[in-house]
Amino acid sequence: MSIRATVKSALGDRNARTLRRLRNRLTGRPPEPPRPTGLAAISDDLTALAVHFKTDKWGTHRYTRHYQRHLQHLKNERFNLLEIGIGGYGRTGQGGASLRMWKHFFPHAQIFGVDLHDKSFVDEDRITTFVGDQSDPASLNAVADKIGELDVVIDDGSHRSPHVLTTFATLFPRLKDGGIYAVEDTQSSYWPEWMGSEDLDARHTTMGMLKRLTDGLNYEEFVDEEYEPTYTDLNVVGVHFYHNLVIIEKGRNAEGSNKRRVLKQRYSDS
């Protein structure tokens, strides 16, 4: 055991702190900054915050470690985060756990949530909720109009494929360049009972749509000269797949291709 640990053990925490302050005063050292307590002590750890606020983004799922990796760069930025689905269904006074988690992880962000049910009891400084329907583009656009610029969108709504596809088609174009779009609980894509499909190649499911984005990342390599790139082809620069979670990065996808140089014979007459 080190000398410092031995002294601390012998004196106890309080007396050890008093002794350190006296030593610093005598030696002219600046006082040690107070150590954070309560929520401040865990504000840099998204998983700890998830456990504290009892959101299933950790425990039932393992999402927070992935979110921390992909959203850490926004930690001290001012930005808007919108989450689809606030939790608690129609039960009075239930829901809002993840909105509180986001608020305490991002100290300068504005946190917004939308749900089919009135969750206004969650509203507080930097948290605002709306009533809206993710299956209705007009409803989603009305919410987005009230928020303004969207930097992060998280779909934790109904998890029904038609709703997820509608939400993505409506809100992804409104996401700013450099923004992040996340789709949670993609397991429902494989469940017919949840409007998914057992067919792994089904195009109408959440995963069918998300898997197509990976081909779109490489649209410049397609040899079909008649192919017209889609909006997502041109504006998705990264797709990260995790267990039941997909995170999409938005940006200008136009790095170019070397296919004409490599495939000289194919393009010799063009």
Side-chain angles (χ1 to χ4, degrees):
M1 183 181 290
S2 68
I3 294 176
R4 176 178 292 181
T6 302
V7 171
K8 183 176 180 180
S9 176
L11 296 177
D13 286 345
R14 184 174 180 180
N15 290 331
R17 287 195 298 270
T18 302
L19 183 62
R20 281 199 303 272
R21 286 196 294 270
L22 178 60
R23 179 199 63 194
N24 291 340
R25 192 177 301 123
L26 293 173
T27 60
R29 293 181 184 177
E32 295 180 1
R35 293 182 180 179
T37 59
L39 280 173
I42 60 173
S43 63
D44 290 335
D45 187 336
L46 195 58
T47 296
L49 287 170
V51 172
H52 175 84
F53 287 109
K54 297 181 173 60
T55 166
D56 67 0
K57 284 177 172 46
W58 185 261
T60 303
H61 304 290
R62 294 290 187 271
Y63 298 158
T64 49
R65 58 187 177 184
H66 306 307
Y67 279 129
Q68 182 130 13
R69 181 183 306 120
H70 290 283
L71 299 178
Q72 182 68 41
H73 66 289
L74 295 171
K75 175 67 176 154
N76 293 304
E77 299 297 320
R78 298 182 184 278
F79 69 97
N80 294 333
L81 181 153
L82 170 63
E83 183 158 15
I84 312 297
I86 298 175
Y89 300 97
R91 296 189 289 268
T92 302
Q94 294 193 30
S98 62
L99 299 184
R100 298 183 185 103
M101 175 194 73
W102 296 125
K103 172 184 171 176
H104 286 276
F105 186 71
F106 297 115
H108 305 298
Q110 295 296 322
I111 309 301
F112 301 92
V114 60
D115 200 280
L116 273 173
H117 306 282
D118 181 2
K119 301 289 179 177
S120 57
F121 71 91
V122 178
D123 291 6
E124 58 185 58
D125 178 46
R126 294 196 299 109
I127 295 180
T128 305
T129 63
F130 302 100
V131 175
D133 182 354
Q134 76 168 131
S135 69
D136 179 5
S139 179
L140 291 169
N141 277 317
V143 169
D145 287 342
K146 293 173 184 175
I147 295 171
E149 189 170 69
L150 296 175
D151 301 89
V152 177
V153 175
I154 298 168
D155 186 347
D156 187 18
S158 75
H159 312 308
R160 269 67 173 178
S161 287
H163 303 167
V164 174
L165 269 61
T166 294
T167 303
F168 183 77
T170 304
L171 295 183
F172 186 76
R174 302 193 60 149
L175 188 69
K176 68 175 289 188
D177 277 358
I180 298 292
Y181 193 106
V183 181
E184 295 188 3
D185 295 357
T186 54
Q187 69 272 23
S188 61
S189 179
Y190 305 107
W191 301 342
E193 295 86 347
W194 281 57
M195 303 175 79
S197 175
E198 295 179 57
D199 180 3
L200 301 185
D201 296 318
R203 294 181 62 83
H204 68 282
T205 66
T206 297
M207 285 302 296
M209 179 271 288
L210 294 170
K211 287 187 285 187
R212 287 196 298 279
L213 297 181
T214 61
D215 284 325
L217 282 170
N218 299 304
Y219 77 92
E220 291 176 297
E221 313 303 340
F222 298 171
V223 294
D224 177 3
E225 293 295 290
E226 302 300 319
Y227 181 78
E228 291 291 335
T230 66
Y231 180 84
T232 53
D233 291 345
L234 296 168
N235 291 281
V236 171
V237 294
V239 187
H240 307 268
F241 289 85
Y242 302 101
H243 184 210
N244 296 337
L245 173 69
V246 178
I247 294 176
I248 304 150
E249 300 177 55
K250 186 172 183 181
R252 179 63 176 161
N253 182 23
E255 295 182 359
S257 170
N258 66 349
K259 67 185 178 186
R260 290 183 177 274
R261 177 171 58 81
V262 175
L263 305 176
K264 293 179 180 178
Q265 185 172 356
R266 171 182 287 274
Y267 293 104
S268 60
D269 297 329
S270 61

